[in-house]
Amino acid sequence: MKTRAQYKRYTRSKAGNFFYFFFLTLFGLFSVLPIIYTICTSLKPLEEIMIFPPRFFVTRPTFENYAALPKLLATLRVPLSRYVFNSIFVSVATTILHILIASMAAFVLSKLKFKGCTAIFVLVQFALLYNAYTLAIPQYVIFSKLQIIDTYLVYILPYLPSTLGVFLMKQFIDSSVPDALLEAGRIDGAGFFRIYRQVALPIIRPAWLTLALFAFRDLWSMQPQGTIFSEELKMLPTVLSTISAGGIARSGSAMAATVILLIPPVTVYMVTQGSVMETMGSAGIKE
Amino acid sequence: MKTKLGINRNSEIRTGMLMLSPFLILFFVFTILPIISSVVLSFTSYDMISTPKFTGIGNYIKMFSRDDMFPKVLRNTLLLAVVTGPISYILAFMLAWMINELNRGMRTVLSFLFYAPALSGNVYLIWQVLFSGDSYGYINNAMLTMGLISEPIQWFKSPQYAMAIVMIVQLWMSMGVSFLANVSGLQNVNPELYEAGCIDGVRNRWIELWYITLPSMKSILLFGAVMQIQSCFSIGTLVTALTGFPSVNYSTDTMVTMLMDVGTSRYEMGYAAALSVFLFAMMAVTRVVVGKLLDSVGNQGGRR
């Protein structure tokens, strides 16, 4: 049996190949510029940050911006560990719950065609388009009616029904979980929930891994406006703002903190996408 | 009710309802209810302090006949959407498709590079430094050194450059959600279809793309399209970060920067709501048209 790679290898001219990789690499390098700039700046000593003409790269790298962080962080009113806990707790818990809720709803909307499914799904798609800014005021009223302002719930609950997740999951289930598989499960006597858990979820793994990345990235950098007042409930981006507020002399340290804060989302990216790349199509499913 | 297979459809529906309800309840409370109130607010005058006063279609009349800023932001919004929307949509698919045939390591590295702007929080910063209006800006600095210009160009303050820069930055940032959805969507295309295509005489990647890859990706393509419509009509924070608010002669301001200004500094929430209802209507129409267009993809030879 031949592999997919052999089927896919169509011929391309040498020049074509060259431009192919040239284009991809150029675009890739251009895209990664802000991260490189952030890292470079975090390694710059103060006189290099202020230098004229400005330089992109660092000439005399130093770790003094990183070394200054512990002293800066020691002045925080709430211990750093509290912010770290909040960030990790909110991001991880919400991501998991979001994937669960979104994938269950999507599976029902995709496979259990009862009255009203189409209407709900149309609503989901169009709600996604509505401008988020204008919704902030009515949402605030709802938060205060539910009395969730200044609690962890104000981070978690509104994010859970994020329509992007249901939409993404539904589209993946539509395209890669054939109805025949559902029938097979039914014949084997599996209940609807079991088919979802044991058949659908493994097949749409690339989708929920990707969704995990989106959700984690959003939540990790979340800085709610006017819904969290207690310093004890704030997350790491607040610490970053506190450092940045120290003016230009602190800008090196702010960059250092930015680099450190980038590590978790980049790690989540590596883990989830590495795993997505591993999945080689939904092999073995015959229609 | 029992089906021919002896499955209790009613019990399946009960389970299904139970699985759907957490989403449905939260969706109604945190999304639908706010949208309904926003639509209702658009027919009122509301300053966030006193109770909303019903004004009928007053806000809409004001928008179309008495607001000098509105025609400008409408023009900018449409221009940005028409230029950046299709280009970033096609780019997000083409790049995902191009890296899909590379080996796993290369694929992971390249998709990381493309996705990097979405990961790093301070994406505008690099552009602000590049195009900074004083002679400290990298581009001004380089052009001064090379003698191309004699004095620094105020990139973000010159209407003739500002819009182009906003477009470039928006395109550069567009490898986000729909790009990664495409990457994983391509992973999920059944490899047997490629094999079958090969046996049926597909001899070139473009034919394979049109008749096999695109039709199997239809639902993901629709997802990408909706996300793209959402983002290209909602360009706002980017504009304010680069060109400030208001931009010179409103040259780059959009519906979103306008409605944020109306809501935040003028406290006219009713008017802001009316603007967002109108913006939504434009996006909804685009969504319907794009849906029709996507239906025709790969139609002559699609599977099933």
Side-chain angles (χ1 to χ4, degrees):
Chain A
M1 162 127 182
K2 280 197 207 169
T3 64
R4 176 182 170 196
Q6 283 163 292
Y7 281 108
K8 285 218 73 184
R9 201 159 290 151
Y10 301 114
T11 47
R12 188 177 11 226
S13 67
K14 263 217 175 90
N17 250 335
F18 175 77
F19 280 113
Y20 197 80
F21 286 104
F22 183 73
F23 174 72
L24 284 178
T25 316
L26 198 72
F27 200 91
L29 288 178
F30 200 53
S31 294
V32 83
L33 277 182
I35 288 189
I36 295 177
Y37 182 77
T38 310
I39 295 173
C40 281
T41 310
S42 77
L43 296 173
K44 282 178 187 168
L46 190 59
E47 61 272 22
E48 263 191 68
I49 292 175
M50 320 275 271
I51 205 166
F52 178 83
R55 286 199 200 113
F56 187 89
F57 292 105
V58 53
T59 37
R60 281 195 315 107
T62 160
F63 279 99
E64 65 189 39
N65 292 323
Y66 289 86
L69 280 180
K71 220 178 128 204
L72 279 172
L73 294 173
T75 60
L76 293 171
R77 204 160 52 75
V78 175
L80 181 70
S81 54
R82 181 75 203 204
Y83 295 101
V84 175
F85 169 80
N86 290 344
S87 272
I88 293 175
F89 170 71
V90 169
S91 308
V92 173
T94 314
T95 301
I96 293 172
L97 283 173
H98 175 55
I99 291 174
L100 193 71
I101 287 175
S103 61
M104 284 198 306
F107 187 60
V108 174
L109 291 177
S110 171
K111 293 300 170 208
L112 205 64
K113 288 151 189 117
F114 62 85
K115 247 197 191 144
C117 265
T118 327
I120 294 172
F121 188 57
V122 168
L123 217 53
V124 167
Q125 280 189 49
F126 281 89
L128 191 65
L129 299 177
Y130 207 91
N131 181 265
Y133 171 78
T134 359
L135 299 184
I137 300 288
Q139 273 171 345
Y140 188 87
V141 175
I142 291 167
F143 296 160
S144 69
K145 285 262 181 334
L146 292 174
Q147 301 188 329
I148 57 169
I149 286 178
D150 211 22
T151 65
Y152 282 124
L153 288 177
V154 86
Y155 289 114
I156 300 171
L157 287 183
Y159 194 84
L160 292 181
S162 151
T163 41
L164 184 152
V166 176
F167 189 23
L168 181 71
M169 290 294 180
K170 161 92 163 45
Q171 298 308 89
F172 263 88
I173 295 172
D174 278 355
S175 74
S176 46
V177 182
D179 288 345
L181 224 54
L182 200 71
E183 285 304 321
R186 281 171 177 153
I187 291 166
D188 291 345
F192 192 68
F193 185 76
R194 235 183 89 194
I195 301 176
Y196 152 78
R197 195 164 51 91
Q198 295 185 342
V199 179
L201 276 190
I203 296 177
I204 57 160
R205 217 171 85 121
W208 55 258
L209 284 171
T210 305
L211 185 59
L213 168 66
F214 294 156
F216 185 86
R217 191 205 65 184
D218 288 350
L219 292 156
W220 186 255
S221 57
M222 189 156 67
Q223 221 175 346
Q225 304 290 321
T227 50
I228 293 281
F229 307 108
S230 315
E231 202 58 35
E232 292 79 22
L233 294 179
K234 289 186 178 166
M235 305 205 289
L236 285 168
T238 314
V239 179
L240 184 61
S241 314
T242 314
I243 298 174
S244 310
I248 188 129
R250 293 270 172 271
S251 63
S253 292
M255 282 295 183
T258 308
V259 171
I260 295 171
L261 276 185
L262 263 177
I263 295 171
V266 169
T267 313
V268 171
Y269 177 90
M270 290 300 175
V271 171
T272 59
Q273 292 304 296
S275 184
V276 167
M277 303 291 179
E278 225 168 48
T279 349
M280 284 300 285
S282 17
I285 298 163
K286 297 220 166 75
E287 291 188 39
Chain B
M1 187 185 88
K2 299 250 177 182
T3 60
K4 58 176 188 256
L5 290 166
I7 286 122
N8 192 334
R9 167 115 175 124
N10 282 338
S11 103
E12 270 201 354
I13 295 218
R14 248 196 320 275
T15 319
M17 281 316 236
L18 222 57
M19 286 165 71
L20 186 60
S21 52
F23 168 74
L24 220 49
I25 294 166
L26 292 167
F27 177 57
F28 181 77
V29 173
F30 292 111
T31 311
I32 297 300
L33 221 52
I35 290 180
I36 294 172
S37 3
S38 165
V39 174
V40 172
L41 275 183
S42 77
F43 297 105
T44 65
S45 156
Y46 177 40
D47 57 6
M48 292 202 273
I49 299 159
S50 40
T51 25
K53 258 201 317 283
F54 183 73
T55 54
I57 55 166
N59 286 324
Y60 294 92
I61 293 174
K62 179 180 173 189
M63 185 156 78
F64 289 110
S65 57
R66 292 203 303 272
D67 197 319
D68 292 342
M69 192 177 170
F70 180 72
K72 289 177 184 155
V73 299
L74 180 62
R75 181 189 148 268
N76 291 340
T77 305
L78 289 175
L79 187 66
L80 278 170
V82 167
V83 174
T84 65
I87 298 180
S88 35
Y89 181 59
I90 293 170
L91 211 58
F93 179 80
M94 289 310 280
L95 285 176
W97 181 65
M98 282 167 92
I99 63 169
N100 191 47
E101 61 178 77
L102 305 174
N103 64 40
R104 190 178 146 212
M106 278 292 277
R107 238 185 310 159
T108 317
V109 171
L110 278 173
S111 72
F112 173 74
L113 296 185
F114 297 152
Y115 189 65
L119 276 176
S120 66
N122 51 354
V123 276
Y124 313 124
L125 186 81
I126 180 97
W127 295 93
Q128 282 160 339
V129 179
L130 269 177
F131 285 102
S132 173
D134 49 29
S135 43
Y136 287 84
Y138 288 105
I139 294 193
N140 275 337
N141 195 260
M143 286 172 80
L144 283 169
T145 318
M146 286 187 279
L148 291 172
I149 47 174
S150 55
E151 57 186 64
I153 297 175
Q154 297 278 320
W155 296 104
F156 297 120
K157 301 290 170 212
S158 333
Q160 72 264 42
Y161 301 122
M163 193 56 149
I165 298 174
V166 167
M167 283 176 180
I168 293 171
V169 179
Q170 171 68 19
L171 283 177
W172 171 81
M173 281 172 49
S174 58
M175 296 300 112
V177 169
S178 50
F179 167 69
L180 280 193
N182 284 332
V183 170
S184 33
L186 285 164
Q187 293 291 313
N188 250 24
V189 174
N190 191 341
E192 287 172 16
L193 288 174
Y194 291 121
E195 291 163 22
C198 187
I199 293 160
D200 286 348
V202 171
R203 284 291 168 268
N204 126 3
R205 72 185 68 234
W206 300 102
I207 294 176
E208 184 192 79
L209 174 69
W210 184 254
Y211 287 109
I212 299 173
T213 315
L214 287 180
S216 344
M217 290 261 304
K218 246 182 198 177
S219 52
I220 312 301
L221 291 177
L222 178 68
F223 172 80
V226 173
M227 295 314 295
Q228 207 61 255
I229 293 169
Q230 196 264 337
S231 69
C232 74
F233 277 96
S234 313
I235 301 170
T237 31
L238 162 70
V239 173
T240 313
L242 291 181
T243 61
F245 185 89
S247 54
V248 177
N249 295 331
Y250 301 127
S251 57
T252 53
D253 277 301
T254 62
M255 296 274 299
V256 171
T257 65
M258 177 175 173
L259 72 87
M260 287 173 90
D261 175 58
V262 167
T264 317
S265 5
R266 295 202 249 153
Y267 299 110
E268 296 176 44
M269 278 320 289
Y271 190 38
L275 285 167
S276 64
V277 168
F278 180 72
L279 180 65
F280 172 75
M282 290 199 295
M283 289 156 97
V285 170
T286 315
R287 157 72 184 82
V288 172
V289 173
V290 167
K292 291 254 182 320
L293 283 177
L294 277 178
D295 271 343
S296 63
V297 165
N299 247 355
Q300 295 95 331
R303 63 173 182 156
R304 272 180 245 175

